[in-house]
């Protein structure tokens, strides 16, 4: 089961969306980078499933940070992504998505830099 | 030497003293002896990395803690977890946030310094967590706990 955090803002016009989109992209990149730092890296698979995206549709602009889905670097995904984030009755939680969100500040809207490539490469 | 309080201990103390759980019903990990908590359920507390650190007032702690409310099946080997019990535990936490006395001290375990809880509030609604590996019912809550040591 994949895990996902969405930040959603209502937008009135397409022009406003175009104006907001770069800032939301920078915010998503900042959260993505923080999640990459904190995600458990026993095998790096979970790390490699981290994805961020910004989309505009139906009057909404949505920044998404997700983990667990299949990606190019981890084609089978990590179906345990949500279990790692929230823990189970037999395993303590090792949160990596919510901390990335909780550490958000207004400076993220000016964040420079892209998320690292898979397995810590640059 | 007096031990220093931390966010998980303060959150656990608040749950016992404000939400009405017993001290044996709240901990950082789920006890392996399920029969000991099968009837009343159990609450676990884990501080999330992050939260807000105040530069100007570092004494003011503002962590977010994950509170999990657990319920096992009525009998050992049972297949039906007690979802209503887990939901009730979660609602007790929420009700305690509505009726709280702001800035009230909580009693910490023996040997620890005191703490004053300024405010406690839910950052998201309680949500059901399905597919637990042991078949337990579970509701989870993210709880912001503003506190200072005294």
């Amino acid at each position: 089961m994949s895990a996902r955090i969405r930040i959603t803002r209502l937008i009135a016009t397409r022009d406003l969306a175009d104006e907001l989109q770069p800032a939301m992209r920078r915010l998503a990149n900042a959260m993505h980078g923080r999640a990459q730092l904190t995600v458990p890296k026993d095998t790096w698979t979970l790390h490699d499933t981290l994805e961020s995206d910004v989309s505009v549709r139906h009057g909404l602009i949505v920044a998404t940070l997700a983990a667990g889905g299949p990606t190019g670097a981890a084609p089978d995904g990590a179906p345990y992504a949500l279990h790692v984030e929230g823990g189970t009755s037999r395993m303590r939680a090792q949160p990596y998505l919510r901390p990335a969100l909780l550490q958000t500040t207004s400076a993220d809207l000016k964040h420079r830099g892209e998320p690292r490539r898979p397995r810590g490469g640059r | 030497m007096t031990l220093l309080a931390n966010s998980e201990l303060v959150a656990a103390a608040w749950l016992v003293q404000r939400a009405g759980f017993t001290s044996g019903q709240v901990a950082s990990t789920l006890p392996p002896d399920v029969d000991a908590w099968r009837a009343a359920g159990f609450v676990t507390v884990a501080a999330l990395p992050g939260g807000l650190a105040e530069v100007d007032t570092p004494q003011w702690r503002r962590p977010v803690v994950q509170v999990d409310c657990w319920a096992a099946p009525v009998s050992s080997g049972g297949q039906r977890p007690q979802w209503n019990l887990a939901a009730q535990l979660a609602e007790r936490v929420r009700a305690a946030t509505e009726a709280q006395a702001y800035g009230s001290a909580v009693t910490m375990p023996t040997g620890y310094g005191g703490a004053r809880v300024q405010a406690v509030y839910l950052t998201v609604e309680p949500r059901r967590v399905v597919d637990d590996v042991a078949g337990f019912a579970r509701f989870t809550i993210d709880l912001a706990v503003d506190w200072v040591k005294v």
Side-chain angles (χ1 to χ4, degrees):
Chain A
M1 193 182 299
S2 63
R4 197 175 298 269
I5 284 179
R6 287 199 183 98
I7 298 176
T8 304
R9 289 289 175 268
L10 283 171
I11 43 171
T13 65
R14 183 75 211 189
D15 289 346
L16 185 56
D18 291 342
E19 206 168 311
L20 279 176
Q21 203 160 356
M24 290 291 268
R25 181 69 257 177
R26 289 192 287 271
L27 169 63
N29 283 347
M31 290 199 310
H32 191 155
R34 283 195 293 271
Q36 285 182 321
L37 289 174
T38 53
V39 67
K41 301 179 185 69
D42 296 350
T43 65
W44 286 82
T45 303
L46 190 52
H47 173 279
D48 291 351
T49 65
L50 282 167
E51 290 181 300
S52 56
D53 181 49
V54 175
S55 62
V56 178
R57 56 175 181 263
H58 308 308
L60 296 173
I61 183 164
V62 182
T64 305
L65 175 63
T71 62
D76 294 331
Y80 48 83
L82 197 53
H83 291 150
V84 175
E85 171 72 20
T88 71
S89 58
R90 294 178 185 164
M91 182 183 76
R92 196 171 163 83
Q94 300 173 77
Y96 54 96
L97 291 178
R98 286 170 294 168
L101 173 68
L102 290 171
Q103 292 168 22
T104 298
T105 67
S106 57
D108 288 345
L109 298 173
K110 299 174 182 173
H111 178 80
R112 294 181 184 189
E114 299 286 323
R116 289 180 185 81
R117 289 208 299 266
R119 313 223 171 216
R122 292 183 184 278
Chain B
M1 190 177 83
T2 303
L3 299 170
L4 298 172
N6 62 49
S7 297
E8 285 184 355
L9 285 173
V10 170
W14 183 87
L15 286 166
V16 169
Q17 291 157 47
R18 300 288 181 271
F21 298 113
T22 65
S23 57
Q25 200 178 4
V26 181
S28 58
T29 54
L30 203 55
D33 181 9
V34 179
D35 288 331
W37 55 270
R38 189 182 300 281
F42 202 85
V43 178
T44 55
V45 179
L48 297 180
L52 294 172
E54 296 290 332
V55 173
D56 299 319
T57 52
Q59 304 89 340
W60 184 17
R61 308 285 294 273
R62 301 175 66 190
V64 175
V65 298
Q66 176 178 325
V67 176
D68 290 310
C69 303
W70 300 90
V74 176
S75 58
S76 179
Q79 297 297 312
R80 297 186 63 187
Q82 304 179 77
W83 284 104
N84 279 340
L85 174 57
Q88 278 303 304
L89 300 179
E91 287 304 319
R92 274 167 66 180
V93 176
R94 194 237 295 269
T97 66
E98 294 167 355
Q100 61 186 301
Y102 292 94
S104 59
V106 289
T107 306
M108 299 300 291
T110 306
Y112 282 88
R116 186 180 301 281
V117 175
Q118 307 289 58
V120 178
Y121 50 96
L122 274 63
T123 61
V124 290
E125 280 285 292
R127 55 193 184 279
R128 182 189 295 247
V129 181
V130 296
D131 293 337
D132 181 69
V133 287
F136 297 150
R138 171 187 174 196
F139 274 77
T140 190
I141 303 166
D142 287 351
L143 202 62
V145 182
D146 290 8
W147 68 278
V148 293
K149 64 180 167 66
V150 293

